[in-house]
Each structure stands twice: as structure tokens, then as C-alpha cells.
Amino acid sequence: MSLIRITALLMLIGLIAIQKISSLETTERQDQFSPYDLRREKELLNPSTNHQRPLQQNNDGFFASFDWRLRNLLSEDRSFFVSLYGGRYTDRHLATKVLMFKPIDYEDSWLKVLAIGSIFYNNSNLYNLEYEVQFGNHIGEQQHQEYNIVGIFRWLYLPDIFGNPLSLAIGNGVSYATMTPPIEEKSRTNINASKWLNYLLIEGMLSLKNNEHWHLFGRIHHRSGVFGLYNGVRGGSNIMTGGLRYSF
């Protein structure tokens, strides 16, 4: 079974587990509220009973929004997030192999990343603009650290999957490795190698319907020289990753 299939299976298992926990939390919370509190919450979260549909906070601490899927993204105290993700290195070309879903081989090299970011602009229910700072650690054939800063465009207007909102994102920024990555240096698809390269991410993310704080995502983590723009480097590296994001 390929790493992509394993990652997808783990994401699905995590989605089911977190939704189960969320449903139990909801049941416990309902036991604590009076009938008036529960009715008021339903009115705030149901667009058909909220004609003005403003984004505001009432005295009970709930958010009223015309689209519940964006409440955690649009509210001011939900703008920061932290992510944990990881995956395995492949030497295959991004455009001709990875994005074409062709069979790919993997190297004995893995990446673990802690990322901290924020949503700094949103446009209704269409898209968000985000930034992210990443702290990565390579293990296996590569034993170095990697630091990335990236701006992200996230498209929100997509169908739900089993009731969970789906978004797609693309990001671009700069990447620094504490040493010239050995696999990038010896890669048969690269010309030259460098500590400083461009950073690109391509991501699909599921935001959980029953728990607005949690999100599951799969991401292509890509470093490249942008056709020689960075220190004459042509080519780069691709790491297929999966992870978990928590919005505050």
C-alpha cells in the first residue's frame, strides 16, 4: 500500500474518531444547558432563523454566522493555528509525476514539521489569505533542520465531504536548510543544490463539522530553485505529507 493511501486511511480514521468525541462532548454540553439556552444556540447557528446573519458574539459566547463552516476562520479569536505534519521524501518530478498521480518511489528520508500561522484576510465565503512559519526536522538519510516562511491562498467555496467542509490551498515562500540537503545534491532530476530555495505547498484540508477547532490535511511539501532563479538550481524535492491542524 502506497504512503498516499496509508495517509488517506489514517486521516479518515482520525476524522471518524474526532467526530465521535465531538458528538459525546455535544451531548454532555446539552445536559448542562437550559431549554432556552439550547433554543438560542440553534437560532444563532441556523441561517433560516437568522435573517440578518451577522458575525457577532452574544452573551452566551456563541458565534452567529450565515455559514457555520467559516465561523472558526472568520472570528477574530480563531485566527491563529498550529499544525503538526510529516511525510516521506520522493525524488520524482512534481509536474510530470507527483501532480499526474503516477507511481512514485520514496527515499529513506522523512520530515517532521511544526507550523504556526494565522489567517490575516478573508473574503466572505470564497477564500482566505494566511501565513505560516514552519520548523522542520529531517531524519533518515538526511539529518538537518529546515525553516520555511510561506504565504497561503486558501479556496473555501467547495462541496462538503460527508458534511465536513473541504478547502484547497496553494502557498509560496522561502525555505532554508541548515545544510545542503544530501538527497537534493545527488538527485538525478536536479541540477545543483542550495541551502536557500523557494518553498511551495499544495494542500487539501477537511474542517470538522462537529468540532470547529480541528482540521485534517494532506500536503505536498516542495522545495525548488524555480528554474534556476535560486543559485542556479533546477529541480528540488517533494515530500508527501499528512497532518493535523488546530485553530484557536
Side-chain angles (χ1 to χ4, degrees), residues 99-205:
L99 294 181
M100 295 294 104
F101 300 101
K102 293 184 178 180
I104 54 179
D105 298 323
Y106 293 94
E107 307 294 333
D108 185 21
S109 179
W110 301 78
L111 173 67
K112 300 178 292 183
V113 179
L114 167 66
I116 301 171
S118 178
I119 300 163
F120 64 88
Y121 180 79
N122 64 76
N123 185 308
S124 184
N125 62 338
L126 293 179
Y127 66 87
N128 282 340
L129 298 181
E130 309 170 4
Y131 70 84
E132 193 172 280
V133 180
Q134 303 172 359
F135 307 89
N137 184 51
H138 290 262
I139 58 176
E141 289 187 37
Q142 302 189 121
Q143 299 283 335
H144 66 275
Q145 286 70 50
E146 179 183 324
Y147 307 104
N148 307 318
I149 299 176
V150 57
I152 302 169
F153 174 87
R154 183 173 303 280
W155 184 253
L156 303 168
Y157 192 68
L158 291 169
D160 293 349
I161 296 182
F162 301 110
N164 300 282
L166 171 69
S167 66
L168 297 178
I170 185 168
N172 193 64
V174 63
S175 175
Y176 174 74
T178 54
M179 64 178 291
T180 302
I183 299 182
E184 292 182 12
E185 200 167 21
K186 69 179 184 181
S187 170
R188 62 182 179 275
T189 62
N190 293 351
I191 299 176
N192 299 326
S194 173
K195 294 180 179 179
W196 287 96
L197 286 180
N198 188 74
Y199 175 74
L200 175 74
L201 70 81
I202 301 173
E203 177 186 286
M205 184 171 75

Side-chain angles (χ1 to χ4, degrees), residues 67-83:
D67 188 349
W68 65 263
R69 74 161 71 184
L70 298 178
R71 288 188 300 121
N72 60 321
L73 298 179
L74 301 180
S75 56
E76 293 182 357
D77 62 347
R78 295 286 194 271
S79 60
F80 288 93
F81 57 85
V82 61
S83 300

Side-chain angles (χ1 to χ4, degrees), residues 25 62 87 103 117 123 155 172 206 234:
E25 290 177 348
F62 297 106
N123 185 308
W155 184 253
N172 193 64
L206 280 178
R234 292 180 176 272

